[in-house]
Amino acid sequence: MFRTALRNVFAHKARLLMTACAVMLGITFVTGSLVYGDSLHRAATDKATDGYARIAVNVAPNADPANGGRPADLGARTATDLAELPGVAAAAGRVNGFAAVAGRDGKPLGNGTDALGGNFAPAADGKDPAYRFSKGSGPTGHDTVALDEATAAKGGYRVGDTVRVGTNKGAASYRLSGIFRTDGSKLPDGGSLTLFADATAQKLFLKPGRYTNIEITAAPGTDVTQLLGSVQSALPKDTSAVTGAQLARLKANLATSSSDTMSQILLGFAAVALFVATFLISNTFTMLVARRTRELALMRAVGASREQVRRILLTESLLVGAMASVAGLAVGTGVAALLQSLFKSADTPAAPLVLTPTTVIVSILVGTLLPMVSAWIPIRRAMAIPPVAALSAAEYTAPARPGSLRTGLGSALVLTGTVTVVYGALTTGEDARSVIALGAALALTEAICLIPLLSRPVAALFRPLLTRLAPVHGDLAVRNTVRDPRRTGATAAALAIAVTLASGLSVLGASATQYLERATTHALSADYVVKSLGGQRMTPTTTAPLKKLVGATYSPLNQSTGYRLGGSESVLTGVDPATIGKLLRYDVVDGSLDSLAQGQIAVADFKAERAGWHVGQTLPVERQNGRHGSVTIGAIYQADEQSDLTPSITAPDSLVARYDSAPSTHAVLVATDGGPSRAALAGVTHALGDNPTLSVLDRTEIRAEGSHGIGNQLNVFYALLSMALVIAALGIANTLAMSVLERRKELGTLRALGLDRAGVTRMIRLEALLLGALGASIGTVMGVFLGWALGRTLQANVVGYELVLPWGRLALTVLIALTGALLASLWPARRAARVDIAAATAAQ
């Protein structure tokens, strides 16, 4: 049986080629996802743990409740005491902060999110073991800095050049004293690291004589566990110590969370690709078995049992799957390397590819078993054909019957799934999305089963258009398409799945983008918004120079956390009562915004509704640092809970200063005399000291910033879905190719009656377009429906979210599907046009 199966595989290798390609593409996606995920995991782990081997013990302060939950710092005396402990070779106090380096054009170098600053802490030999200088030396004066090699190369800086560096305390120019290399854990990929002299770093990032943490290096032969005990016994209150190995494990777990998420997303799309591939595989074996009924019946007639014939066919599918899996494993490894280059960014560390035994086993097993499972139903159906009937039949087909049990059950489940989705969409409970997911699974699965039944009415709908384009060829294309509804439905179903996902993502993405753009700028009356590069913490002193800007009106948004207001956890945002009304649009529904000048607060409507507050109510205030008092609500205003600018609680700066001496400035709103212009933008930038850590954004940039992330994610998802579209196109090509083989006599007869080669080609291409239109139309309808349902679940918590139908993107998806179908028809159409008339008409 194995030899027979192997001979059959090579005898029908052209027919099985598309099946092998579908399996190979699916396994390519699975292998690529696993290899890329493992490589990303390894890279993140290596990057996060690089450098901790030289640290025996790390000492850091605990979170300080009196400081809003932010970590405290350590005194220089602690570092001195720890350095004197037995077994300690050195105790280096570290200072960490945010420092952006300006290029020669004034713009920050590298990834702003990872623009870091630190201190040069030399030991007795004048060297800092954390940094290895390739040029120059470490900074020792208050006007010198050192840069990492990558940043210095980007800026074209050399030792002795003047470099402008910005921090939360402002910007200043320094002389470059040296260029260094360092551990991966200290310098994120794409980021920058600027070293200051010890005293300068303390002044910029903390306070004189204070450190962020202390790195202890052990003397040779010292037991790290015993050293940890000695260090812990000498630590001051609210300070903790861990070994370098423990800290490395913690950092590795934190660093790999994002890579694990990316791996899960890729595997999800790989599952979609494999699901689409099952339709192609099942369809191929259905057509192959139908073409081989005489052969299979002859085997039965000479003594082979049903079980033996079934085993032969299953062995064929196993051989095809095994060969395709090996090919997919090799190609998938290459795809993982391609993914590394495509998705490489400042946040993605580079690493060699990691091919684990688990990846090899999973890829081979999935690729081998998938064809067997997909071919089981066609093979089982073929085994039900009696040998005598099979020998007398040229071809066996089993078109879907409207009154069949499958159709009735499928219709019931589609109706049930649709009702479930609608119920979930109209429900605002926490389980609404789970209900929609269940309903969508039912509706989508059974809709796919019903596509054979839908093929006739959809083909009738497109028939007038096709016959208008080509009267004879269009009519033949429609007739050939509906000749076998089950085959047509299986082919179109693969395309419908990919289009459903693409359309649903388009609807959700367009709706979310419009909402974010409106939510971001609806309440903004200011001309510019000043933000810290990378979302780093600003202080009121950062933007104090704006006072000197002539004709400008501004107000910081000073966020202060750790409050219990009337028993409710709250965040207060301090503003300038005299100017905030000109910079932010407050839609007051009760009270007056003028109450801010009287020391009262204004509360967003969603916050007031949840807490049961009203205008005129006096609330007790208590902060984590123990300070307490009371405050009165002077106004309630409409606000979007997801807005990045409109606060949930607006308070006068004087009130916030009473409870928090160092609030974090989230943003600064600025309105200039005469409105936005290049001159106004330059004036604001110059007034802020040409600080590379600060971004001055206009309304357009603020709007783009809010929706940029969604657009990037959608582009990645569309790229991943393209694999499913490719597999669906292969299914169309396979169906048409098999159809050409089955219709050789018919095609020869048409040629003999006067249909030229161009006419045959046009007929096959119209069939492909009809298949594409069937899958694209059903997929678009289902995608819009599911996008609407999921969007409805957001409306309860996201004020202002509305359904947006991106007609352009939906039309583009349909156009891509039709183009893919047309391209898939090129080879089958060419084969059909070359059918030999004499040989075809002479065939029995």
Side-chain angles (χ1 to χ4, degrees):
M1 286 189 295
F2 180 80
R3 288 197 301 269
T4 302
L6 186 61
R7 184 171 59 250
N8 287 336
V9 168
F10 286 103
H12 303 99
K13 54 182 178 293
R15 303 179 188 179
L16 292 170
L17 179 62
M18 294 298 178
T19 299
C21 287
V23 176
M24 185 191 72
L25 286 175
I27 299 306
T28 295
F29 213 146
V30 171
T31 303
S33 301
L34 292 174
V35 172
Y36 177 71
D38 291 340
S39 302
L40 204 62
H41 191 282
R42 174 76 61 82
T45 301
D46 293 345
K47 182 74 175 178
T49 58
D50 181 31
Y52 286 106
R54 62 176 177 78
I55 301 174
V57 178
N58 184 78
V59 178
N62 299 328
D64 183 9
N67 195 28
R70 292 188 290 268
D73 47 46
L74 299 170
R77 180 64 182 175
T78 302
T80 303
D81 292 342
L82 293 176
E84 296 175 353
L85 291 176
V88 174
R94 298 296 179 191
V95 178
N96 300 317
F98 175 64
V101 181
R104 298 188 184 277
D105 58 357
K107 297 181 180 180
L109 296 172
N111 180 15
T113 306
D114 296 318
L116 306 178
N119 66 318
F120 178 67
D125 59 358
K127 297 181 180 180
D128 189 331
Y131 307 104
R132 301 171 295 280
F133 282 84
S134 57
K135 297 179 182 178
S137 59
T140 54
H142 68 279
D143 59 345
T144 58
V145 295
L147 295 177
D148 66 274
E149 285 185 339
T151 303
K154 289 178 183 176
Y157 289 124
R158 298 181 179 180
V159 174
D161 288 349
T162 299
V163 181
R164 190 160 183 83
V165 181
T167 66
N168 292 332
K169 297 290 181 65
S173 297
Y174 301 86
R175 183 179 61 84
L176 185 61
S177 67
I179 299 173
F180 62 87
R181 298 176 182 177
T182 187
D183 305 327
S185 58
K186 289 188 176 293
L187 179 60
D189 284 355
S192 62
L193 177 58
T194 306
L195 292 183
F196 301 86
D198 196 56
T200 305
Q202 291 174 343
K203 181 180 178 181
L204 289 174
F205 304 129
L206 297 173
K207 295 179 182 179
R210 310 298 295 182
Y211 291 110
T212 304
N213 64 294
I214 299 172
E215 296 176 353
I216 297 177
T217 305
T222 302
D223 183 84
V224 175
T225 303
Q226 295 179 355
L227 179 60
L228 176 63
S230 301
V231 169
Q232 288 176 334
S233 62
L235 291 180
K237 184 181 179 182
D238 297 327
T239 306
S240 58
V242 294
T243 64
Q246 292 172 331
L247 191 58
R249 286 194 294 269
L250 176 62
K251 296 291 185 181
N253 292 334
L254 294 175
T256 55
S257 60
S258 60
S259 63
D260 293 341
T261 301
M262 186 64 181
S263 299
Q264 292 171 3
I265 292 175
L266 289 174
L267 286 175
F269 281 96
V272 172
L274 289 173
F275 185 58
V276 172
T278 58
F279 290 91
L280 191 156
I281 298 168
S282 180
N283 211 18
T284 300
F285 273 89
T286 298
M287 292 184 287
L288 279 176
V289 169
R291 288 285 298 171
R292 296 166 59 189
T293 49
R294 290 179 181 273
E295 173 191 334
L296 298 177
L298 182 61
M299 294 176 64
R300 292 283 308 281
V302 297
S305 65
R306 286 186 177 183
E307 185 63 28
Q308 287 177 315
V309 175
R310 182 183 293 111
R311 289 178 183 176
I312 290 174
L313 294 176
L314 287 175
T315 303
E316 291 179 22
S317 66
L318 184 147
L319 291 172
V320 171
M323 290 185 288
S325 298
V326 173
L329 184 65
V331 177
T333 306
V335 168
L338 180 62
L339 287 174
Q340 278 192 331
S341 62
L342 289 177
F343 293 159
K344 182 173 176 58
S345 65
D347 300 322
T348 306
L353 294 178
V354 177
L355 181 62
T356 63
T358 302
T359 298
V360 176
I361 293 173
V362 169
S363 299
I364 297 296
L365 280 179
V366 172
T368 303
L369 294 178
L370 179 65
M372 296 181 66
V373 174
S374 302
W376 176 259
I377 294 179
I379 293 173
R380 182 175 179 272
R381 191 184 299 129
M383 293 302 97
I385 305 174
V388 175
L391 286 171
S392 63
E395 181 179 352
Y396 176 78
T397 58
R401 297 182 297 275
S404 66
L405 177 63
R406 167 183 170 174
T407 301
L409 181 61
S411 300
L413 289 177
V414 165
L415 180 61
T416 303
T418 303
V419 171
T420 303
V421 170
V422 173
Y423 172 77
L426 300 178
T427 303
T428 59
E430 296 180 357
D431 298 330
R433 294 179 192 175
S434 299
V435 173
I436 290 177
L438 175 62
L442 289 174
L444 185 61
T445 302
E446 296 309 321
I448 290 171
C449 295
L450 290 180
I451 286 181
L453 184 65
L454 298 174
S455 60
R456 291 185 183 276
V458 174
L461 181 65
F462 287 103
R463 184 170 190 163
L465 176 61
L466 295 180
T467 53
R468 182 179 294 272
L469 293 175
V472 175
H473 313 97
D475 184 66
L476 289 173
V478 172
R479 291 175 180 272
N480 289 327
T481 301
V482 299
R483 174 183 297 181
D484 190 341
R486 180 170 290 167
R487 177 193 302 176
T488 299
T491 305
L495 183 61
I497 294 172
V499 174
T500 296
L501 294 175
S503 301
L505 285 173
S506 296
V507 172
L508 283 174
S511 303
T513 298
Q514 176 176 289
Y515 157 73
L516 286 175
E517 291 179 351
R518 186 173 60 249
T520 302
T521 59
H522 169 72
L524 184 63
S525 301
D527 298 327
Y528 300 104
V529 177
V530 180
K531 288 190 172 183
S532 180
L533 189 66
Q536 298 295 323
R537 183 175 182 266
M538 291 189 293
T539 63
T541 57
T542 307
T543 55
L546 287 174
K547 295 179 181 179
K548 302 177 182 179
L549 188 60
V550 179
T553 302
Y554 77 97
S555 174
L557 301 179
N558 295 324
Q559 286 188 342
S560 183
T561 60
Y563 290 88
R564 288 193 65 84
L565 188 61
S568 174
E569 298 289 339
S570 303
V571 176
L572 268 60
T573 301
V575 300
D576 184 349
T579 62
I580 191 62
K582 304 175 184 178
L583 303 170
L584 273 184
R585 184 180 295 111
Y586 282 86
D587 298 324
V588 179
V589 295
D590 194 8
S592 173
L593 200 63
D594 295 337
S595 59
L596 292 175
Q598 303 170 11
Q600 298 180 357
I601 63 172
V603 182
D605 52 355
F606 63 85
K607 180 73 173 178
E609 182 179 353
R610 291 176 186 172
W613 297 340
H614 58 82
V615 171
Q617 184 176 359
T618 299
L619 304 173
V621 180
E622 183 179 358
R623 196 163 183 264
Q624 291 177 346
N625 57 10
R627 298 179 182 177
H628 56 86
S630 62
V631 68
T632 302
I633 300 176
I636 294 178
Y637 53 89
Q638 288 183 342
D640 194 322
E641 190 172 357
Q642 308 300 320
S643 175
D644 191 41
L645 290 177
T646 306
S648 59
I649 299 179
T650 304
D653 272 332
S654 57
L655 178 64
V656 171
R658 191 184 310 165
Y659 297 94
D660 189 354
S661 60
S664 176
T665 302
H666 168 62
V668 182
L669 310 178
V670 183
T672 57
D673 189 14
S677 64
R678 288 188 178 181
L681 177 61
V684 174
T685 303
H686 185 66
L688 292 170
D690 295 316
N691 192 338
T693 67
L694 301 179
S695 299
V696 183
L697 308 175
D698 59 19
R699 294 174 64 89
T700 302
E701 292 170 325
I702 287 291
R703 187 183 298 113
E705 186 183 59
S707 57
H708 179 70
I710 290 181
N712 287 342
Q713 291 178 3
L714 285 178
N715 290 335
V716 172
F717 291 159
Y718 290 144
L720 296 174
L721 279 175
S722 63
M723 184 68 75
L725 285 171
V726 170
I727 296 176
L730 284 176
I732 294 175
N734 198 32
T735 298
L736 293 176
M738 297 296 293
S739 177
V740 168
L741 288 174
E742 294 173 357
R743 293 156 51 194
R744 290 184 70 253
K745 186 170 185 177
E746 172 191 327
L747 293 171
T749 304
L750 289 174
R751 290 291 313 281
L753 293 175
L755 190 65
D756 58 6
R757 288 187 174 184
V760 173
T761 300
R762 188 177 301 111
M763 179 183 67
I764 299 298
R765 289 177 180 175
L766 289 176
E767 290 181 32
L769 285 176
L770 192 54
L771 283 170
L774 175 62
S777 58
I778 293 175
T780 301
V781 172
M782 291 192 295
V784 171
F785 174 62
L786 295 179
W788 165 82
L790 290 172
R792 282 282 307 179
T793 63
L794 300 174
Q795 290 180 336
N797 299 322
V798 181
V799 179
Y801 178 92
E802 296 177 354
L803 176 68
V804 176
L805 294 180
W807 297 109
R809 184 152 290 193
L810 292 175
L812 180 61
T813 302
V814 173
L815 180 61
I816 291 175
L818 294 178
T819 302
L822 188 61
L823 292 175
S825 70
L826 295 180
W827 180 60
R830 186 171 180 270
R831 293 195 62 181
R834 295 195 172 194
V835 169
D836 184 81
I837 299 176
T841 53
Q844 299 297 319

